[in-house]
Amino acid sequence: MSPTVEVRAIDALEELQTSLVRYADQAQATLAAIAREVQRTLDWLEERQRHWRAEVQRGREEERRARAAYERCLSSGDRDHPPSCGREEQAFLDARRRLAQAEAEERMATQARQAVQAEAEIYARDANRLHVTLQTETVKSIEVLRSKVTVLRSYASGGMSAGGVLAGALAFGAGVVIGAAMGRAGEDGPSSASGVPDSSGRELTLQERHPDIHDILLNMIDFSDSPVHDAADYHKVSKAEMVAGFEKLTQVRRWIGEGATEQQLYDESRAKGLSEVQSYHNIYRVFYGESAIALEKVGDRYRVLNGYHRLAVAQELGWTTIPAKVINS
C-alpha cells in the first residue's frame, strides 16, 4: 500500500468518525426539539380543555338564569291576561344553544388531547430507544473508530514497533484497543482513551499531539467575510450549545497548559457522566483535532478558512485568543 493511499484511507476513517459525532449531536438535538414541540401541543390542548370547561360552567349558569327568568315571566300573568315572554324565551333558547356548543368544544378538546397523549407515549418509547442507541452503540462506534485511526496514524508515521504493528492489526480486526500503540491493555473497551506513546512508551501530552495548533489573537483575524450575524445563523449546532462548549474549552486549555494527556480528558468526562458529544475529549477534538479552526496568514492578519461560528462566539464572550491552525505559517 502506498503512503498516499494509506493516508487517504485514514482520513476517510477520521471523516466517518467526525460524521458520527455530528450525527449523534444533531440526532440528540432533534429528539429534544421534537419532545419540546410535543409538550407544547399537549399544553395547548390542556389549556383548550380548561377554557371550554370554564365556558361550560358559565353556560350552565347562564342557562339557569335564563330559564328562571322565562319561568317567572310565564307565571306572571293569568288566564285573561297571558304574559308576553317572547324575549325571555329567546334568551333561554340562545343560552341553551351556547351551552351545547361549549359542551361539544370541551368534548372535542378532551378527545384531541387523549389522542395526542396516546401517540406521544408511543413516540416517547421509540425516541427513548433511539436515545439509548445514541448514548451506547453510537458512542462505542466513535470510540472504536478513534482507536483505529490512532493505530493507523502511528503505523503510517513509523511510530510503532513490529510488535505494535501486529497489535494494531489485531485491534483493527477485533474491535478492541490493544498493543504497544495504546500503551495499555484493552480491557476497558471503547470508553478508554487512545493516547499515542512516544518512542519511550510515554503517552504524549495533548500539547505534543497537536503542535500545529497555536493561540491566535482574535483582533488579528479578519471577520469581514463572516456569514454569522445573529443566533439564526447557527444551524448544525445552536449558539447556546457552542457557548456551553466554550465553558468546557476553558478547562481543556488549562489542562493542556498543565501537560494533561488524552486519557485524563476521558477520565474527567467519565467521572462527570458526560456523553460523547458533551465530553472534554470531544471539545479537544473540535478545537485541536481534525475540526480545528483553520486560518491563512495574509500580511499581518489572518483570513478565516473555517470556524466562523466558533470565532463569533469567542468574540462575543470577550475572548482575546483562540486555538487555531495556521495553514501557511
Side-chain angles (χ1 to χ4, degrees):
M1 179 185 297
S2 69
T4 301
V5 174
E6 183 174 335
V7 169
R8 287 177 180 173
I10 300 171
D11 289 343
L13 282 177
E14 285 190 327
E15 178 60 31
L16 176 58
Q17 174 192 325
T18 302
S19 298
L20 276 175
V21 172
R22 189 180 301 118
Y23 159 74
D25 193 9
Q26 293 175 345
Q28 293 283 21
T30 300
L31 288 175
I34 293 174
R36 289 192 297 269
E37 189 61 34
V38 168
Q39 190 57 52
R40 277 196 293 268
T41 302
L42 289 171
D43 291 344
W44 179 79
L45 288 171
E46 186 177 4
E47 187 277 328
R48 290 289 84 196
Q49 275 185 281
R50 289 196 299 267
H51 169 77
W52 287 113
R53 192 176 296 124
E55 288 296 310
V56 167
Q57 293 299 323
R58 281 192 289 270
R60 286 173 180 167
E61 180 61 24
E62 182 184 354
E63 185 207 33
R64 185 190 65 77
R65 289 196 300 267
R67 181 192 295 273
Y70 181 41
E71 290 175 348
R72 283 195 303 271
C73 179
L74 290 176
S75 62
S76 63
D78 53 34
R79 182 179 302 176
D80 296 327
H81 302 88
S84 176
C85 300
R87 186 177 61 182
E88 287 79 2
E89 181 183 16
Q90 186 60 50
F92 173 54
L93 293 175
D94 289 344
R96 290 185 64 181
R97 176 181 54 78
R98 287 192 291 270
L99 174 59
Q101 181 179 357
E103 288 174 335
E105 293 286 354
E106 183 192 14
R107 284 194 300 273
M108 286 190 291
T110 300
Q111 292 168 357
R113 191 178 192 284
Q114 290 172 344
V116 172
Q117 182 68 55
E119 291 299 324
E121 290 173 358
I122 294 173
Y123 163 76
R125 289 194 293 270
D126 293 337
N128 185 62
R129 284 194 290 269
L130 177 55
H131 175 75
V132 171
T133 298
L134 291 170
Q135 291 292 326
T136 55
E137 300 305 319
T138 305
V139 171
K140 290 178 183 178
S141 299
I142 292 169
E143 297 297 340
V144 168
L145 280 171
R146 182 183 300 111
S147 71
K148 310 318 173 196
V149 168
T150 302
V151 171
L152 290 173
R153 285 289 185 202
S154 298
Y155 174 52
S157 63
M160 295 177 65
S161 64
V165 172
L166 175 59
L170 290 172
F172 196 91
V176 293
V177 184
I178 59 175
M182 302 299 102
R184 60 195 300 274
E187 288 82 3
D188 290 339
S191 61
S192 302
S194 305
V196 179
D198 61 12
S199 57
S200 66
R202 177 183 64 86
E203 183 180 355
L204 297 177
T205 66
L206 296 173
Q207 199 162 25
E208 291 170 333
R209 293 191 63 185
H210 293 285
D212 55 338
I213 303 295
H214 305 281
D215 284 343
I216 305 297
L217 289 168
L218 276 173
N219 61 11
M220 300 298 293
I221 299 174
D222 181 6
F223 286 87
S224 61
D225 293 332
S226 176
V228 184
H229 304 290
D230 52 44
D233 295 322
Y234 294 80
H235 305 296
K236 292 182 179 180
V237 180
S238 71
K239 183 178 179 180
E241 290 170 320
M242 282 201 171
V243 170
F246 269 80
E247 293 176 1
K248 290 189 176 71
L249 177 60
T250 299
Q251 181 61 63
V252 169
R253 294 177 84 181
R254 186 178 301 117
W255 285 330
I256 290 174
E258 294 171 355
T261 63
E262 188 177 14
Q263 182 62 51
Q264 289 174 257
L265 295 189
Y266 275 84
D267 293 342
E268 291 289 343
S269 298
R270 192 161 48 237
K272 289 181 170 59
L274 300 177
S275 68
E276 168 67 23
V277 294
Q278 299 171 329
S279 64
Y280 290 114
H281 52 273
N282 186 46
I283 295 298
Y284 173 73
R285 284 199 307 273
V286 168
F287 284 91
Y288 291 85
E290 63 272 7
S291 301
I293 294 171
L295 306 174
E296 180 183 15
K297 189 71 177 294
V298 180
D300 60 350
R301 295 183 64 78
Y302 297 93
R303 183 171 70 88
V304 180
L305 299 180
N306 81 285
Y308 272 120
H309 292 83
R310 283 169 286 174
L311 289 167
V313 171
Q315 192 176 46
E316 186 172 324
L317 292 176
W319 285 40
T320 56
T321 63
I322 191 74
K325 178 187 296 185
V326 181
I327 65 167
N328 61 341
S329 61

